[in-house]
C-alpha cells in the first residue's frame, strides 16, 4: 500500500524552507515526532533507496549469503555458483515463510517450512509433493528479485526495481572514496558497535552532518583533526566532510603509527555514512535505522587491515564508544525532547559561505532531500 501525505502536511513540514540555506528554515518539528511521517519515509525513502548490507568479503565465495531486513521487508543477497551476485525477497513462493537467516554458505536454498528447494539463481528446483497440485508449473516459479550492487567494495540493495544504479546516482563518489581508501577491498570486518538512540533518525543524521557543535560538545575530537581545514561539500544525494589530521598530540586516541592522515567522511542518502579516520588502514560504515518515530538503531561497522583489531585500533573504538557516541547520543536525545515541546517548531541554519565544518549547509541539503520525498508522497 502506498503511503501518502496531505497537501496541508507537506506545506507545514516545509514552511519557511528555501533553496538557499542562509535564507531557509528547517523542516517542522512534527516530522520528528508524528508517526505518519515515518510511515511515509519507510515507503518513499527507505524502500526506494540504496541500503548498505555488508562488505563484499562476506559474499565473495559461491554460495555465500547474507539475509537482512529493509524496514520490515526480508531480503537475502547470495553469490551464485556462476559468480553472479543476486538478491531476492527472502520469502518462499509456497506460503511466504522466510528462507535464510543471518549469513553463511549454502548450495541450495531450502525453505525450513515445507522444504521447497530453490537454486542460487532463484529458480525453483523441487517442490515437495507438488504432484498433488493441479496445473502446477515449477518452471514458472522464481524468487522475486531485488536490485543489488557492489559499490566501492560494499554491497547495497534497493527494493525499488526502477531505481537507477547507485554508481549512476552518485557520480564521482566512488572515485573520491577510492582515492582516500584504495585498500578498502582488502580490509576485513573487525568490530561492530550497536546503539539504541531515543530520537528520530533524522535528528541523528542532522547531528552527523554538521560540526558546529564539535568545539562545544566534542572537545577531544577536535584535537584529532585540524578544524581550520574542515570542509563540507554537498552533491546530489551525498556530501563529503574532509579535514586534515591534527598536527600535534590529540586527546582522542593514539595515531603514532598512522598511515592514514586524513579525516574523510561521506554521507550517503538516506542513512549511511562512510568514514576513514586517522590511523592504520581503516574504514567504517555507520547506519541510522529507524525503529520508531522516536527511536533509532545505530550500527557501526569497523574494517581494518586485520582482525581482531590491534590495541591502538581498540583504543580508537573505545574513544568512539565511550566518549564520542555518548556525547552525540546525549545531544540528539535532548533535541528530540525539545521537538516534543510547544516551544520549538523550526529553526534557522547557520551557514558559512566558505563551506567549513562550522556550518549547517549539509543539514539544509539533507532536509531538501527529505522534502523531495514528501512531495512524491503528496497527491498532485
Amino acid at each position: 500500500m502506498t503511503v501518502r501525505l496531505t497537501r496541508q502536511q507537506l506545506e507545514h513540514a516545509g514552511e519557511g524552507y528555501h533553496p538557499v540555506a542562509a535564507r531557509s528554515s528547517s523542516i517542522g518539528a512534527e516530522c520528528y515526532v508524528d508517526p505518519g511521517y515515518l510511515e511515509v519515509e519507510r515507503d518513499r525513502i527507505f524502500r526506494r533507496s540504496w541500503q548498505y548490507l555488508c562488505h563484499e568479503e562476506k559474499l565473495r565465495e559461491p554460495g555465500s549469503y547474507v539475509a537482512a531486513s529493509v524496514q520490515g521487508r526480508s531480503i537475502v543477497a547470495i553469490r551464485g555458483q556462476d559468480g553472479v551476485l543476486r538478491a531476492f525477497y527472502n520469502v518462499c513462493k509456497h506460503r511466504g515463510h522466510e528462507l535464510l537467516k543471518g549469513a553463511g554458505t549454502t548450495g541450495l536454498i531450502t525453505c525450513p517450512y515445507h522444504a521447497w528447494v530453490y537454486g542460487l539463481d532463484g529458480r525453483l528446483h523441487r517442490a515437495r509433493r507438488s504432484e498433488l497440485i493441479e496445473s502446477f508449473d515449477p518452471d514458472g516459479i522464481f524468487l522475486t528479485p531485488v536490485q543489488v550492487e557492489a559499490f566501492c567494495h560494499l554491497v547495497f540493495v534497493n527494493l525499488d526495481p526502477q531505481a537507477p544504479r547507485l554508481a549512476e546516482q552518485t557520480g564521482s563518489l566512488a572515485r573520491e572514496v577510492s582515492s582516500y581508501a584504495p585498500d578498502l577491498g582488502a580490509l576485513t570486518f573487525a568490530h561492530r558497535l550497536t546503539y539504541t538512540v531515543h530520537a528520530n533518525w533524522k535528528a541523528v543524521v542532522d547531528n552527523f552532518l554538521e560540526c558546529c557543535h564539535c568545539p562545544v560538545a566534542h572537545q577531544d575530537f577536535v584535537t584529532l583533526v585540524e578544524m581550520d581545514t574542515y570542509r563540507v561539500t554537498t552533491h546530489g544525494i551525498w556530501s563529503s566532510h574532509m579535514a586534515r589530521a591534527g598536527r600535534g598530540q590529540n586527546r582522542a586516541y593514539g595515531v603514532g603509527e598512522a598511515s592514514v592522515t586524513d579525516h574523510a567522511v561521506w554521507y550517503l542518502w538516506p542513512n549511511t555514512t562512510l568514514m576513514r579516520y586517522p590511523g592504520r588502514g581503516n574504514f567504517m560504515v555507520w547506519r541510522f535505522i529507524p525503529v520508531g518515530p522516536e527511536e533509532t538503531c545505530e550500527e557501526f561497522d569497523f574494517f581494518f587491515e586485520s582482525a581482531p583489531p590491534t590495541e591502538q585500533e581498540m583504543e580508537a573504538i573505545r574513544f568512539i564508544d565511550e566518549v564520542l557516541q555518548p556525547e552525540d547520543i546525549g545531544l540528539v536525545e535532548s533535541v528530540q525532547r525539545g521537538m516534543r515541546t510547544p516551544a520549538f517548531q523550526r529553526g534557522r541554519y547557520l551557514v558559512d559561505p566558505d563551506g567549513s565544518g562550522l556550518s549547517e549547509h549539509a543539514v539544509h541539503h539533507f532536509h531538501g532531500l527529505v522534502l523531495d520525498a514528501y512531495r512524491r508522497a503528496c497527491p498532485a
Side-chain angles (χ1 to χ4, degrees), residues 170-186:
T170 53
S172 63
L173 175 59
R175 185 167 62 250
E176 189 169 298
V177 171
S178 297
S179 70
Y180 280 89
D183 56 351
L184 178 52

Side-chain angles (χ1 to χ4, degrees), residues 142-215:
F142 300 84
L143 298 179
T144 301
V146 168
Q147 285 209 74
V148 63
E149 183 174 349
F151 178 82
C152 294
H153 304 286
L154 305 172
V155 178
F156 291 79
V157 294
N158 193 321
L159 303 189
D160 181 1
Q162 305 303 319
R165 304 290 290 175
L166 182 56
E168 180 184 336
Q169 291 187 44
T170 53
S172 63
L173 175 59
R175 185 167 62 250
E176 189 169 298
V177 171
S178 297
S179 70
Y180 280 89
D183 56 351
L184 178 52
L187 299 181
T188 188
F189 175 79
H191 198 77
R192 170 174 282 184
L193 296 174
T194 303
Y195 306 92
T196 296
V197 184
H198 297 293
N200 185 273
W201 72 278
K202 297 187 295 299
V204 181
V205 176
D206 291 347
N207 179 71
F208 180 87
L209 287 174
E210 51 90 355
C211 217
C212 294
H213 69 279
C214 292

Side-chain angles (χ1 to χ4, degrees), residues 105-162:
T105 305
T106 187
L108 292 168
I109 303 170
T110 302
C111 179
Y113 196 9
H114 296 100
W116 280 33
V117 180
Y118 302 85
L120 304 187
D121 61 356
R123 183 188 303 270
L124 180 66
H125 272 209
R126 283 192 309 278
R128 178 171 157 265
R129 302 195 57 150
S130 60
E131 69 275 8
L132 303 176
I133 305 174
E134 292 186 16
S135 305
F136 184 74
D137 178 17
D139 292 336
I141 298 177
F142 300 84
L143 298 179
T144 301
V146 168
Q147 285 209 74
V148 63
E149 183 174 349
F151 178 82
C152 294
H153 304 286
L154 305 172
V155 178
F156 291 79
V157 294
N158 193 321
L159 303 189
D160 181 1
Q162 305 303 319

Side-chain angles (χ1 to χ4, degrees), residues 26-47:
S26 62
I27 58 177
E30 70 273 16
C31 303
Y32 295 79
V33 297
D34 186 338
Y37 287 93
L38 178 58
E39 287 310 304
V40 168
E41 291 158 4
R42 283 177 167 145
D43 179 53
R44 292 288 173 161
I45 296 177
F46 289 94
R47 293 171 185 157

Side-chain angles (χ1 to χ4, degrees), residues 154-291:
L154 305 172
V155 178
F156 291 79
V157 294
N158 193 321
L159 303 189
D160 181 1
Q162 305 303 319
R165 304 290 290 175
L166 182 56
E168 180 184 336
Q169 291 187 44
T170 53
S172 63
L173 175 59
R175 185 167 62 250
E176 189 169 298
V177 171
S178 297
S179 70
Y180 280 89
D183 56 351
L184 178 52
L187 299 181
T188 188
F189 175 79
H191 198 77
R192 170 174 282 184
L193 296 174
T194 303
Y195 306 92
T196 296
V197 184
H198 297 293
N200 185 273
W201 72 278
K202 297 187 295 299
V204 181
V205 176
D206 291 347
N207 179 71
F208 180 87
L209 287 174
E210 51 90 355
C211 217
C212 294
H213 69 279
C214 292
V216 180
H218 300 313
Q219 295 185 11
D220 290 334
F221 170 78
V222 296
T223 68
L224 185 64
V225 300
E226 293 298 332
M227 289 299 297
D228 59 347
T229 69
Y230 204 126
R231 290 294 177 271
V232 178
T233 308
T234 60
H235 304 267
I237 63 165
W238 59 284
S239 56
S240 63
H241 306 248
M242 304 294 184
R244 297 292 298 170
R247 302 181 186 96
Q249 282 295 108
N250 71 78
R251 299 194 302 269
Y253 58 86
V255 291
E257 300 175 8
S259 57
V260 177
T261 57
D262 292 295
H263 167 83
V265 177
W266 300 268
Y267 160 74
L268 176 60
W269 166 261
N271 64 323
T272 303
T273 61
L274 313 173
M275 291 176 275
R276 177 90 154 175
Y277 274 12
R280 202 168 66 124
N282 70 87
F283 205 80
M284 287 153 274
V285 182
W286 196 355
R287 287 188 294 169
F288 315 118
I289 305 167
V291 177

